[in-house]
Amino acid sequence: MKLTPHFQDGDTFYEQLLDAHAELSREDAELFNARLILLLANQVGDARILRDCIEAAKLAPAKT
Amino acid sequence: MTTRSTPAYQAASLYNDYQFSTGSGYVLPEYPFVEPAELKADTLMRHPVVIVGGGITGLTLACALARQGVRAVLLDEDNTVGVKGAASRGICYTQKSLEIFDRLGIYDRIAAKGVQWSVGRTYAGEDEVYSFDLRQQGSYRLSEQPPFINIQQFYIEAFLVDRIQALGHVDLRWQNRLTGFEQGADVATLTVETPAGSYRMEAEHVIDASGAHSPLRQWLKVPFDSRRGDDRWCIADVRFTSRPPVERHTWIEAPFNDNRAVWQHLMADDVWRLDYQMAPDADPETVSSEAEVRKRLARQFGSDVEVEIVWVGPYAYRSECVHGMRHGRVFLMGDSAKVVSPFGARGGNTGVADADNLAWKLAAVLQGKADASLLESYNHERLEAAQQNVCVTNRTARFLRPAQRSERLFRDAVIGLARQMPFARSLVNTGRMAIANPYSESSACSYAPGSGAGQSVQNVRFAWADGSPGHVNDLLDWAGGNLLVLVFGDLSAACVQRLRRLCFDAPVRSVQVLGPDASPQALEYVRDPQGHLQGACHVFGHAWALLRPDAYLAATGETVDATLVTAIERSLGLR
């Protein structure tokens, strides 16, 4: 699992993500996120990296 | 498959014939009670093997032992196969089970009575989201047996009874109920109740194949894990005036069942098994009333289709798995060891494989070919299979009955994507069809990197030396309950000598496997013109494969040397 930047263009991705969410209700946003996770997970494919990502997401603090 | 069901229809009357009845319910064969010798004997009789329970698992074991000439007693509390007045139970038999039944000599009857299928389709709403054809998948088509045959479980049980009676060696005792049990280091003592009185007997090996409500498991206080959900289903066995296609259809969200799941599967006698998912904790009596079932059938197939309801009943899923499949002299198998929800046909098929696994080991130990410690590998191998099958079916159950909001959310996301994108279809889980479970940590297998040890070998075709066709099961027959060494490619004179000595010293037979034109060095050889036998044994080029009587590989290797000798010893419990 990579923890250093791997994005070609992180800022553009982040903007696209926010734009996609802009018009969505809370429920639609949740469904959108779920679809996005599944699509991205399939790009990764590697079982160990996927497991590590799930564990890393659990470890991050809930709110600062 | 395990069902906790109460029959909604009265038990059919019994005849000595197992044709399907035209009315409601199934007609089951009836077997006579014969007074056991113990009732008249003055001394306690000791049996090498006593099998408790005459379901598909116990009968498979009994038949496999009978075939090896091993004496055994089988106790069944009833006087028939199946459960009186109850459902068809298990309906779907895997290629591996069919290969086992072929070895036992009942496959032709199953094939003649059952229905073959290979296409499965999964729907969400009106749309098909996923389909498969097992005949197009990998190596399924290489076996002499098809991917699956659907048939009511009691037919297979009845075929097994007939076969056991023809083979002899096994004493089938109907209306003999186990009521007491104790065991020491060497022997167990059983108390049995019959219509003519009760008796006691001793057993060296006790097989608990008594099912999900095993009394032995309770008496022995066998620890187990358990999971019970609130998912409720209704099974209906029905016949139609118009025939649906011979395919497995599953709906995750069926419009004709309030957007809950539905299963549709064909069995023998033109009977269809329909499983309807009910609202959580629905009242079982109401959801399985005939009026309710007829309404649902009309919504699914149209109101003009005439329907004959053969059987209907509610059931709730649970899953259970013991922590160990051997407790002293007692070996647990089938539903006594694990209970799974019926997704993927991992119930009855697992019981059949449990029985086939223990049968050759018991026979080898009792005939002095193997050390008693070999029996411990039954626990290693079949516990791994049980745990795997429980894990896989629990995942399906979770997909079909999402527990919380977020589980529902991800399922909605999967179904939404699956309509357009193939990758998401792989996450749609309406049951992963049962396979021959591999053994990855058995004491009886010798593992090495890239080895096929612990893998099942399909019943593929080869040619005997005279050119006539044969199958792996014929080779196993030829080996006669001994281990089989298949040596692929040319053999040096020293190798031939070594193999001859090995077959003289150990319960092993060996055969050389050659391409279409190569000249043989060993006395016994077969030809594998298409390489199917070699592929099935998971080896390439010059190699050997050590095949067990249950068609699992104990080991594979390259040169005929000490590694083969060690592998043979290990597969006989001598190491």
Side-chain angles (χ1 to χ4, degrees):
Chain A
M1 179 178 63
K2 295 178 197 77
L3 291 175
T4 50
H6 184 60
F7 293 112
Q8 287 178 343
D9 184 351
D11 289 345
T12 301
F13 161 73
Y14 197 76
E15 184 178 44
Q16 285 165 345
L17 187 63
L18 296 190
D19 285 349
H21 269 274
E23 302 295 314
L24 296 180
S25 69
R26 190 177 166 153
E27 240 172 52
D28 288 344
E30 280 182 350
L31 189 59
F32 169 85
N33 280 342
R35 282 200 294 260
L36 185 62
I37 289 170
L38 297 171
L39 279 159
L40 294 176
N42 186 54
Q43 307 310 307
V44 174
D46 186 295
R48 211 184 51 178
I49 296 175
L50 288 172
R51 185 196 61 197
D52 289 350
C53 289
I54 288 172
E55 289 308 311
K58 279 197 231 168
L59 287 175
K63 257 178 194 167
T64 47
Chain B
M1 183 171 109
T2 302
T3 58
R4 278 161 52 82
S5 45
T6 47
Y9 291 81
Q10 60 181 20
S13 52
L14 301 169
Y15 304 96
N16 273 319
D17 174 21
Y18 33 89
Q19 281 307 301
F20 166 68
S21 74
T22 50
S24 296
Y26 293 101
V27 177
L28 302 170
E30 193 176 72
Y31 306 107
F33 168 70
V34 179
E35 247 180 67
E38 277 87 347
L39 281 171
K40 296 175 206 124
D42 302 327
T43 52
L44 208 52
M45 292 169 86
R46 182 178 286 201
H47 301 278
V49 181
V50 173
I51 303 165
V52 185
I56 192 166
T57 302
L59 288 168
T60 298
L61 179 65
C63 192
L65 291 175
R67 218 176 131 259
Q68 297 291 322
V70 175
R71 278 178 44 235
V73 171
L74 183 145
L75 307 174
D76 192 84
E77 58 184 22
D78 210 349
N79 68 340
T80 182
V81 290
V83 179
K84 279 178 190 160
S88 39
R89 298 184 295 152
I91 59 166
C92 186
Y93 295 91
T94 61
Q95 184 166 82
K96 178 67 185 181
S97 293
L98 297 170
E99 289 170 347
I100 292 169
F101 294 138
D102 179 55
R103 257 187 277 133
L104 298 182
I106 62 164
Y107 171 70
D108 290 342
R109 294 187 75 185
I110 294 171
K113 190 74 197 168
V115 178
Q116 295 189 21
W117 66 277
S118 67
V119 174
R121 297 183 195 281
T122 294
Y123 301 88
E126 305 289 343
D127 308 321
E128 179 178 316
V129 291
Y130 174 78
S131 72
F132 59 80
D133 183 352
L134 295 169
R135 277 183 211 281
Q136 308 300 321
Q137 272 179 28
S139 57
Y140 263 120
R141 66 195 159 76
L142 295 181
S143 172
E144 185 63 3
Q145 274 66 46
F148 286 96
I149 287 183
N150 280 17
I151 184 171
Q152 291 87 328
Q153 179 172 335
F154 59 79
Y155 277 119
I156 294 186
E157 292 168 346
F159 298 157
L160 284 166
V161 170
D162 290 350
R163 182 75 181 132
I164 293 163
Q165 284 170 342
L167 288 165
H169 307 292
V170 174
D171 183 2
L172 297 174
R173 297 186 181 179
W174 307 103
Q175 291 179 272
N176 277 240
R177 180 197 293 267
L178 182 70
T179 56
F181 175 86
E182 55 196 84
Q183 66 173 338
D186 304 319
V187 75
T189 310
L190 292 81
T191 310
V192 181
E193 212 173 80
T194 78
S198 68
Y199 64 92
R200 277 154 54 86
M201 65 176 166
E202 289 185 338
E204 290 164 19
H205 304 88
V206 178
I207 316 305
D208 180 8
S210 59
H213 304 290
S214 159
L216 274 164
R217 223 177 84 183
Q218 288 167 28
W219 297 336
L220 292 166
K221 295 189 171 60
V222 174
F224 63 96
D225 294 324
S226 168
R227 197 187 280 198
R228 212 171 273 264
D230 63 357
D231 205 8
R232 298 288 177 273
W233 290 66
C234 171
I235 322 176
D237 288 0
V238 300
R239 290 211 284 198
F240 298 102
T241 47
S242 72
R243 276 191 192 191
V246 182
E247 298 175 345
R248 171 187 188 260
H249 287 194
T250 58
W251 285 261
I252 312 158
E253 295 170 344
F256 47 85
N257 189 38
D258 301 328
N259 279 332
R260 281 189 287 271
V262 173
W263 263 225
Q264 176 184 312
H265 233 338
L266 184 57
M267 292 181 276
D269 307 316
D270 281 336
V271 177
W272 289 80
R273 159 74 63 82
L274 297 156
D275 296 21
Y276 295 101
Q277 189 179 36
M278 299 289 115
D281 283 325
D283 174 42
E285 296 302 321
T286 317
V287 297
S288 58
S289 72
E290 182 172 344
E292 276 301 309
V293 172
R294 285 197 178 277
K295 262 192 259 171
R296 241 176 277 135
L297 290 166
R299 278 204 298 272
Q300 181 174 0
F301 297 98
S303 50
D304 51 337
V305 173
E306 277 180 50
V307 179
E308 177 196 343
I309 298 180
V310 181
W311 190 89
V312 62
Y315 61 101
Y317 297 156
R318 59 180 171 141
S319 78
E320 285 178 9
C321 191
V322 297
H323 299 170
M325 291 179 64
R326 179 180 184 179
H327 295 266
R329 313 304 304 168
V330 181
F331 298 82
L332 307 179
M333 59 173 55
D335 286 0
S336 304
K338 61 93 199 67
V339 178
V340 294
S341 45
F343 312 120
R346 288 170 185 263
N349 287 298
T350 310
V352 169
D354 287 345
D356 194 45
N357 186 290
L358 188 60
W360 78 268
K361 294 174 184 173
L362 265 180
V365 168
L366 290 167
Q367 291 165 350
K369 294 174 183 173
D371 186 81
S373 66
L374 173 62
L375 300 177
E376 203 42 52
S377 71
Y378 166 76
N379 180 48
H380 298 151
E381 295 175 356
R382 296 313 299 170
L383 185 63
E384 182 182 2
Q387 287 168 339
Q388 182 66 22
N389 290 325
V390 167
C391 168
V392 170
T393 47
N394 280 347
R395 287 172 176 176
T396 305
R398 201 169 180 186
F399 189 86
L400 292 171
R401 167 81 186 113
Q404 334 131 1
R405 209 177 104 77
S406 56
E407 290 194 11
R408 166 74 63 173
L409 176 76
F410 277 104
R411 193 178 88 168
D412 288 345
V414 166
I415 294 169
L417 292 171
R419 290 177 206 276
Q420 284 136 27
M421 302 174 199
F423 92 89
R425 289 168 205 160
S426 69
L427 299 175
V428 173
N429 190 343
T430 60
R432 305 297 184 213
M433 297 314 292
I435 51 154
N437 293 89
Y439 308 138
S440 69
E441 44 199 16
S442 169
S443 58
C445 295
S446 303
Y447 300 98
S451 131
Q455 303 278 341
S456 174
V457 172
Q458 280 182 297
N459 190 28
V460 298
R461 182 184 276 250
F462 63 86
W464 293 105
D466 67 3
S468 61
H471 292 92
V472 168
N473 278 350
D474 301 325
L475 271 177
L476 293 172
D477 254 359
W478 175 74
N482 295 310
L483 298 168
L484 182 65
V485 181
L486 298 154
V487 193
F488 298 88
D490 296 334
L491 278 171
S492 68
C495 277
V496 173
Q497 196 58 32
R498 240 175 268 150
L499 281 168
R500 276 189 52 190
R501 202 169 303 141
L502 209 52
C503 294
F504 188 76
D505 291 341
V508 173
R509 294 202 79 172
S510 92
V511 65
Q512 187 179 14
V513 185
L514 295 165
D517 308 312
S519 31
Q521 287 85 38
L523 190 63
E524 316 273 17
Y525 70 94
V526 297
R527 298 204 182 270
D528 186 23
Q530 274 125 16
H532 290 163
L533 187 53
Q534 185 153 25
C537 288
H538 305 270
V539 292
F540 308 95
H542 276 82
W544 55 262
L546 179 60
L547 190 57
R548 317 193 310 192
D550 60 354
Y552 270 83
L553 290 166
T556 59
E558 279 171 26
T559 46
V560 176
D561 57 16
T563 55
L564 173 59
V565 178
T566 308
I568 288 170
E569 289 175 350
R570 187 165 286 136
S571 65
L572 296 171
L574 301 170
R575 262 180 191 259

